[in-house]
Amino acid sequence: MAAKFELKKTSNDKFVFNLLASNGQVILTSETYDSRASALQGIESVKKHAPDDARFGRLSARNGAPYFTLKAGNGQVIGQSQMYSGAKARDAGIEAVQHHAPVAVLVDLSASQSA
């Protein structure tokens, strides 16, 4: 299976997407978007900015769990990872996004969902 972006509609008629690695694991989750068009722009922004290591914020949650964010050119967060067990695992997650995002296909599940 190739890497893919899955676009979904939320229960309150907003949109969110996940980037899934080739093994099906979610490696990045978007912010919530008001419109499908905005979410599609967010996907394009992830594809564009993922190769740039400087766009990734390497952070820690209150409990110390490492995670990362990906920021667009305007500094706005366009995606966030899950929490990781350690910095090495988080950095591997960043590498996965850098590798998979530019070539990931879009699977639009939003049209087939009823809110």
Side-chain angles (χ1 to χ4, degrees):
M1 174 176 102
K4 63 183 176 180
F5 286 97
E6 283 188 346
L7 177 61
K8 298 179 182 181
K9 189 182 282 190
T10 66
S11 60
N12 60 349
D13 284 334
K14 298 197 185 264
F15 296 84
V16 66
F17 61 83
N18 290 310
L19 173 59
L20 284 69
S22 52
N23 65 2
Q25 185 175 11
V26 174
I27 53 177
L28 185 79
T29 299
S30 75
E31 302 298 305
T32 302
Y33 294 90
D34 290 331
S35 71
R36 181 179 176 279
S38 294
L40 292 173
Q41 288 175 338
I43 289 170
E44 290 306 312
S45 186
V46 170
K47 288 182 170 198
K48 176 181 177 182
H49 296 295
D52 184 355
D53 192 66
R55 297 278 177 209
F56 288 88
R58 290 160 172 85
L59 307 165
S60 295
R62 288 187 195 129
N63 67 0
Y67 70 101
F68 65 84
T69 59
L70 174 61
K71 293 185 178 182
N74 63 4
Q76 188 172 15
V77 173
I78 49 178
Q80 180 174 312
S81 72
Q82 63 183 7
M83 299 298 158
Y84 288 94
S85 58
K88 187 174 180 180
R90 177 203 55 214
D91 293 345
I94 291 170
E95 288 177 14
V97 171
Q98 290 173 323
H99 175 75
H100 292 296
V103 296
V105 298
L106 172 63
V107 177
D108 188 350
L109 303 174
S110 65
S112 62
Q113 293 176 303
S114 57

